[in-house]
Amino acid sequence: LNFKLILILPMILLEGFLLSFVLGHFTKVYVSDCIGVHWIGVALAIFGSGSGLTALTAGRLVKYIPQYFIIYTVSTIIVGILIFLLLWKREPSYVVPFLVLFGLGTWEGVWFSTSAGLVGILFPHKQE
């Protein structure tokens, strides 16, 4: 195995952990308990729209802003969101779960596009 691939592997694994958290735990605990089961589809649509919009804009922003700065900024946002989820006392609210899911989608969009880009940059001779 290549040493560069071993260093990128935690970044790719973290993306899978986030998706399993959003699709499983977050929708069960936060969305269905706070606002009801019938809102899970809307919540996941908000997550997907945040992810899609950010993936489109992150690719364009890399031309003007360094890629590592975008990753660090979005990583601090996700740490803030996760700390908020640890400290937040669940109460019936429509705004909080949707904003959190949009933030998680934002992180996922940047993380997915940059991790694929990094693999392409670091391994130009193995484009499979």
Side-chain angles (χ1 to χ4, degrees):
L1 285 174
N2 196 341
F3 183 68
K4 293 177 185 177
L5 183 63
I6 293 172
L7 290 176
I8 293 178
L9 193 62
M11 184 177 180
I12 296 169
L13 288 174
L14 187 62
E15 180 183 340
F17 290 149
L18 173 80
L19 282 176
S20 66
F21 170 71
V22 167
L23 297 177
H25 185 74
F26 187 85
T27 54
K28 180 183 175 197
V29 173
Y30 291 99
V31 176
S32 66
D33 286 352
C34 291
I35 56 178
V37 174
H38 53 281
W39 285 96
I40 290 178
V42 175
L44 290 179
I46 289 174
F47 172 78
S49 64
S51 176
L53 289 173
T54 310
L56 287 173
T57 56
R60 309 273 191 280
L61 283 177
V62 170
K63 296 177 185 175
Y64 308 109
I65 301 172
Q67 190 173 17
Y68 68 88
F69 182 74
I70 294 173
I71 292 173
Y72 289 151
T73 303
V74 175
S75 296
T76 54
I77 290 171
I78 193 66
V79 167
I81 288 173
L82 292 177
I83 290 172
F84 171 74
L85 287 176
L86 283 173
L87 301 176
W88 182 50
K89 299 198 186 313
R90 291 186 314 228
E91 58 187 36
S93 170
Y94 289 99
V95 176
V96 174
F98 291 153
L99 285 177
V100 168
L101 273 171
F102 191 78
L104 290 172
T106 300
W107 181 80
E108 197 266 339
V110 169
W111 207 258
F112 184 73
S113 62
T114 54
S115 65
L118 277 176
V119 171
I121 290 170
L122 293 176
F123 304 105
H125 54 282
K126 296 182 180 180
Q127 294 288 326
E128 296 176 0

